Amino acid sequence: MTVLRLGTRGSRLALWQAHWVQRLLASVHRDVRVEIVPIETDGDRRTEAALSTLSGSAFFTKEIEGALLEGSIDLAVHSLKDVATEAPEGLILGAVLERADPRDALVARDGHGLADLGEGARVGTSSLRRKAFLRADHPGLVTRDVRGNVPTRLGILDRGDADALLLACAGLDRLELGARITSRLDPERFVPAPAQGAVAVQIRADDAAVRSRIAPLEHGPTRRAVDAERTFLNVLEGGCQVPLGAFAQVEGDSMRLVARVASLDGGRGVRGALSGPSDDPDALGRTLARRLIDEGAADILAELRPS
């Protein structure tokens, strides 16, 4: 029996993802036993403020990646939208699993859609992207910073400290909380974060044995879609905390990528879409990124960076 130590964050959603990978590996390898190793990350500890106001990066992956590099775990499971587009030296994404619903979800106390929320309604989110798009499309609404795991955020809503929340559909669905969703937002307009809804298994680049073990978990269409989205993000030199969305859909041999960048106040923005062959997602991501750069996307994002 081969024992693989799987590193993960300790949140309810992260553990769901880790147990999912554990079950998938057990279904294809009878001689493998997966031990789940919860690891507290910087982002889990620093809950006092919005991540966009904190210095540093890789808030939800750095400690786990460190454990992987030093050999105390054999693989790591991440929400791919939290993973930097430039991998630490020695690590690779060994498998990208089939994506869940990539859209953003509105969860409203009174069951209203975004357009029906009253003037001054408080919408909770910690995402700069969601804030920027909300301010651009619904300037009469007020954003409120909320941090914490999914149940914690729902508790804030239920106590009346917000009128609605913006969350990822995938997280709510995976935790069997999809019934709380008031509406699933149009990804062509309220463009999701790059790789939203996707789960990745990270491994050491030189660990051929583990790489072969997790190979059956790879979902090709999801990998190609998120590669296009993450290339777009990388070309624009964006991180996890930028007001930028990118979403690709694969249909057979073709792929369509839509992207949007907005200023934090919602006053400026660019968007675009591009189709191309699905076997070259990096080219599609680069081409659309350069097109939006020419239309002002880089200037918008530059306003958020320290001088």
Side-chain angles (χ1 to χ4, degrees):
M1 180 70 68
T2 299
V3 177
L4 297 178
R5 298 157 299 172
L6 184 156
T8 176
R9 294 172 60 201
S11 72
R12 184 177 163 193
L13 178 58
L15 289 171
W16 184 98
Q17 295 173 167
H19 284 290
W20 181 35
V21 172
Q22 183 186 52
R23 291 193 301 272
L24 289 173
L25 284 171
S27 71
V28 295
H29 300 297
R30 298 195 175 199
D31 62 337
V32 170
R33 180 164 60 88
V34 176
E35 293 182 353
I36 294 176
V37 182
I39 298 172
E40 187 179 42
T41 68
D42 196 28
D44 297 316
R45 289 188 294 266
R46 302 170 76 179
T47 60
E48 73 286 351
L51 292 178
S52 58
T53 66
L54 302 176
S55 60
S57 60
F59 294 110
F60 295 115
T61 62
K62 184 168 55 180
E63 288 79 6
I64 301 172
E65 289 173 336
L68 188 55
L69 285 168
E70 72 182 19
S72 58
I73 58 174
D74 304 298
L75 63 163
V77 174
H78 304 289
S79 293
L80 186 49
K81 72 175 182 178
D82 293 334
V83 179
T85 56
E86 297 289 345
E89 185 175 355
L91 300 182
I92 60 170
L93 298 180
V96 175
L97 282 62
E98 185 172 5
R99 193 180 211 169
D101 188 339
R103 292 174 290 180
D104 285 299
L106 176 73
V107 180
R109 278 195 301 129
D110 297 326
H112 294 304
L114 274 176
D116 302 316
L117 290 172
E119 186 86 9
R122 302 158 299 164
V123 182
T125 177
S126 61
S127 160
L128 293 186
R129 173 186 60 88
R130 290 171 179 149
K131 290 178 184 177
F133 293 176
L134 192 69
R135 290 165 180 164
D137 298 346
H138 303 278
L141 301 180
V142 177
T143 61
R144 184 195 163 201
D145 279 319
V146 293
R147 286 283 314 278
N149 58 34
V150 172
T152 297
R153 297 187 193 199
L154 290 175
I156 291 171
L157 178 70
D158 293 340
R159 288 196 305 271
D161 294 333
D163 299 300
L165 300 173
L166 287 173
L167 299 164
C169 288
L172 290 162
D173 288 338
R174 285 170 173 152
L175 295 178
E176 299 183 356
L177 293 168
R180 297 293 306 265
I181 297 175
T182 306
S183 60
R184 297 175 188 254
L185 305 185
D186 180 3
E188 292 282 323
R189 181 159 188 83
F190 212 92
V191 186
Q196 183 160 296
V199 171
V201 181
Q202 190 178 44
I203 61 173
R204 290 182 290 275
D206 61 358
D207 196 336
V210 172
R211 188 170 189 173
S212 67
R213 293 287 194 181
I214 66 171
L217 278 57
E218 174 79 1
H219 187 253
T222 298
R223 169 79 76 158
R224 294 192 293 275
V226 299
D227 279 354
E229 296 162 13
R230 284 165 57 81
T231 295
F232 176 87
L233 176 66
N234 189 45
V235 172
L236 279 167
E237 298 180 354
C240 298
Q241 293 294 316
V242 289
L244 173 160
F247 173 54
Q249 291 179 286
V250 176
E251 293 186 5
D253 296 332
S254 65
M255 178 189 297
R256 183 173 186 273
L257 176 65
V258 59
R260 180 181 183 184
V261 178
S263 62
L264 194 52
D265 64 3
R268 300 172 59 199
V270 294
R271 71 173 73 218
L274 187 65
S275 296
S278 63
D279 62 355
D280 196 355
D282 290 341
L284 194 65
R286 284 194 301 271
T287 301
L288 185 56
R290 289 167 181 158
R291 178 181 297 178
L292 265 60
I293 286 171
D294 290 341
E295 296 176 9
D299 295 336
I300 292 171
L301 295 180
E303 295 174 357
L304 296 173
R305 300 190 181 105
S307 59

